[in-house]
Amino acid sequence: MDPEDRPPATDDAVESTNGACDTDTDTDTIDDTDTDTDTIDDTEDPEAFVGDPDGGDRDGPVADVNPDRSEDGLLKRFRRDNEGPLMWLREMLSSVAIVLLLGLILFGVSGVWPPMVAVESGSMEPNMEVGDLVFVTEPGRFAPDAADNDIGVVTYENGQAADYRTFGTYGSVVIYQPPGRTASPIIHRAMFHVDEGENWYERADRRLHNADDCEELRNCPAPHDGFITLGDNNGQYDQANGLSEPVKADWVTGVARLRVPYLGYVRLIATGQAKPSDLISVSTGVEPRELGTESTSPLIDRSESTPGTMIGTERTGFSLRFDSSTVAVHG
């Protein structure tokens, strides 16, 4: 058929053609939209959201999934709470830390552990009382010029010559533990030093033993080198009444330096060696126990008191609000 004989295109055909073109155009537009969507997906960073990192619901509230944040909150409560279990735990730990710190400081100064001992008997009265807490140093530390030995102990004899006094009278007060003794260590005054085999009867104060000669006096002649010791409130030497042989230097575990009234009752009450009523009684000036007859020991001068000593039921000195590790000692 010749082209001239062909029928003219109808409007329907034109519209169909235009529709096809429109469809293609729309398709391109949809493809562009898809491309834009893909672009948005590519720019998303899951780690930029605090929430579900696997692509969960990111439009909801942000969850507190950071464990450090929870720990910070607990730590802040522990530091700032003024009531409740965290407050009690904080106060308890603080108290323990303070006591340990003070104990370490005292240990650094004294060189012995424990650096304090609690007096449990009255054999050193009135210069040391039951319930006193006594600060001690290792033998040889802070040795005075009057000491003539390696452990820094000044005997009563040498103290008289040098006018060296501790705890109310001449000489050093030592803490010693004889071999085989299972009871508490002993805290008594060093009176004089003897050599092995020495007849020390003539050097002894006859008021402090009941012997007529060396043969009747216990530990005479001296079985070895050592100190003759005495409780200030006792009527006999420790070596005369059989409490101990002459005290060797290596039996001495410490030298008494300072005492704190009453504070030793903390340990004595905790170990059952004293009752709370005992502390109440002595603090109010009423002794809870009978002291017996007044001591005739020549070491005790009841006519005057010295700072830090006790006369009768009156106690002088100072008190502290803390305690450290202690052991009880037999006065």
Side-chain angles (χ1 to χ4, degrees):
M1 180 181 293
D2 293 334
E4 294 179 357
D5 295 335
R6 292 179 181 175
T10 64
D11 293 337
D12 293 339
V14 174
E15 292 175 1
S16 175
T17 302
N18 293 336
C21 294
D22 292 339
T23 304
D24 293 338
T25 303
D26 294 340
T27 303
D28 293 339
T29 302
I30 294 173
D31 291 341
D32 291 342
T33 304
D34 292 341
T35 302
D36 293 340
T37 304
D38 293 340
T39 302
I40 293 173
D41 290 340
D42 291 341
T43 59
E44 290 179 354
D45 183 4
E47 295 181 357
F49 294 90
V50 179
D52 183 4
D54 297 328
D57 183 9
R58 299 185 178 89
D59 295 332
V62 177
D64 186 6
V65 296
N66 189 345
D68 293 337
R69 185 175 301 175
S70 299
E71 292 176 2
D72 289 344
L74 183 61
L75 179 60
K76 184 180 294 184
R77 288 183 55 200
F78 177 78
R79 294 169 57 188
R80 299 183 179 180
D81 277 6
N82 293 323
E83 59 183 13
L86 290 180
M87 184 273 290
W88 288 108
L89 178 62
R90 182 185 68 237
E91 295 301 319
M92 181 182 68
L93 293 178
S94 299
S95 299
V96 171
I98 291 172
V99 170
L100 290 177
L101 178 60
L102 291 173
L104 290 175
I105 293 174
L106 291 175
F107 172 70
V109 174
S110 70
V112 295
W113 188 264
M116 290 187 173
V117 296
V119 179
E120 66 178 36
S121 76
S123 66
M124 284 294 292
E125 293 176 350
N127 299 318
M128 289 183 182
E129 293 273 3
V130 174
D132 286 353
L133 195 66
V134 180
F135 177 71
V136 302
T137 61
E138 69 176 335
R141 182 167 293 205
F142 308 123
D145 294 337
D148 59 357
N149 48 71
D150 295 335
I151 61 174
V153 173
V154 180
T155 63
Y156 184 89
E157 277 186 348
N158 292 342
Q160 283 182 309
D163 195 26
Y164 176 82
R165 297 170 179 260
T166 63
F167 298 97
T169 190
Y170 300 109
S172 300
V173 176
V174 299
I175 297 90
Y176 70 92
Q177 181 85 29
R181 178 179 172 85
T182 58
S184 303
I186 300 168
I187 180 168
H188 280 175
R189 194 176 303 273
M191 300 301 293
F192 55 90
H193 188 272
V194 296
D195 297 325
E196 181 178 359
E198 179 182 343
N199 179 346
W200 53 276
Y201 177 82
E202 296 298 331
R203 295 178 62 189
D205 189 324
R206 295 189 179 184
R207 294 172 294 177
L208 297 175
H209 64 78
N210 298 322
D212 292 329
D213 53 36
C214 182
E215 292 183 358
E216 294 184 5
L217 181 61
R218 289 186 181 182
N219 294 296
C220 185
H224 51 251
D225 296 355
F227 294 99
I228 303 300
T229 53
L230 174 72
D232 289 357
N233 197 38
N234 289 349
Q236 288 188 329
Y237 295 112
D238 298 345
Q239 290 66 37
N241 62 20
L243 181 62
S244 172
E245 294 181 352
V247 178
K248 293 184 177 181
D250 56 3
W251 296 359
V252 177
T253 60
V255 180
R257 300 296 183 186
L258 177 71
R259 70 172 193 87
V260 184
Y262 308 118
L263 201 56
Y265 271 109
V266 175
R267 175 178 174 82
L268 298 181
I269 292 173
T271 57
Q273 296 170 283
K275 298 179 294 184
S277 59
D278 296 338
L279 175 58
I280 296 173
S281 298
V282 297
S283 63
T284 56
V286 180
E287 290 291 345
R289 51 190 168 77
E290 294 183 2
L291 297 178
T293 58
E294 187 155 324
S295 174
T296 58
S297 172
L299 301 188
I300 297 178
D301 181 5
R302 297 186 182 273
S303 62
E304 60 178 288
S305 63
T306 57
T309 64
M310 290 77 64
I311 299 298
T313 60
E314 180 181 357
R315 295 190 176 200
T316 61
F318 61 92
S319 60
L320 302 177
R321 297 186 63 184
F322 63 87
D323 192 9
S324 182
S325 297
T326 61
V327 296
V329 290
H330 182 78

